[in-house]
Amino acid sequence: MTVGRAVLTLGLAIVALTCSMWVALAAVAVLGHGASLTSIACMTMLQRRTAHGLMGRGPAAVETVMGVQQAVSLAIGALLVTLLDHHVIFAIMTTFTGTSVVYLLIS
């Protein structure tokens, strides 16, 4: 999961720092790869740690919580886009994602 988060942070940082559309496009491909690695690692860890009898309920609960979180983040993102430049938004995302990588490395 840490590697996926680190790749995600790298893609976010490149998008935050570049003004070139082509560089940003390549960085979004890196970002998407990191998001996929993180998602797969998270679901694998969930399946390994969930009791066999609860295998359907655990992932369903996680998907529900993640769906609510995505809806809230879309609403906040829509508000932020009207107030801030996209470079600032990506810099904020980079900061929080990078902080999570540091936390995962030290824990």
Side-chain angles (χ1 to χ4, degrees):
M1 185 179 310
T2 307
V3 173
R5 285 283 176 142
V7 172
L8 181 67
T9 303
L10 175 66
L12 288 169
I14 293 171
V15 172
L17 296 174
T18 189
C19 291
S20 168
M21 181 183 72
W22 297 108
V23 174
L25 184 63
V28 168
V30 171
L31 188 153
H33 185 67
S36 296
L37 287 173
T38 302
S39 177
I40 290 168
C42 180
M43 293 309 284
T44 301
M45 184 178 1
L46 175 69
Q47 289 175 357
R48 287 181 140 186
R49 294 184 178 188
T50 301
H52 187 64
L54 299 174
M55 191 57 74
R57 293 181 188 142
V62 169
E63 289 294 331
T64 301
V65 171
M66 289 173 65
V68 170
Q69 175 266 334
Q70 279 185 320
V72 171
S73 68
L74 282 172
I76 293 171
L79 176 66
L80 285 177
V81 165
T82 62
L83 301 173
L84 301 172
D85 182 49
H86 73 279
H87 292 289
V88 175
I89 294 170
F90 276 99
I92 292 167
M93 292 167 61
T94 302
T95 302
F96 281 104
T97 309
T99 303
S100 73
V101 170
V102 171
Y103 174 78
L104 289 170
L105 287 173
I106 63 174
S107 63

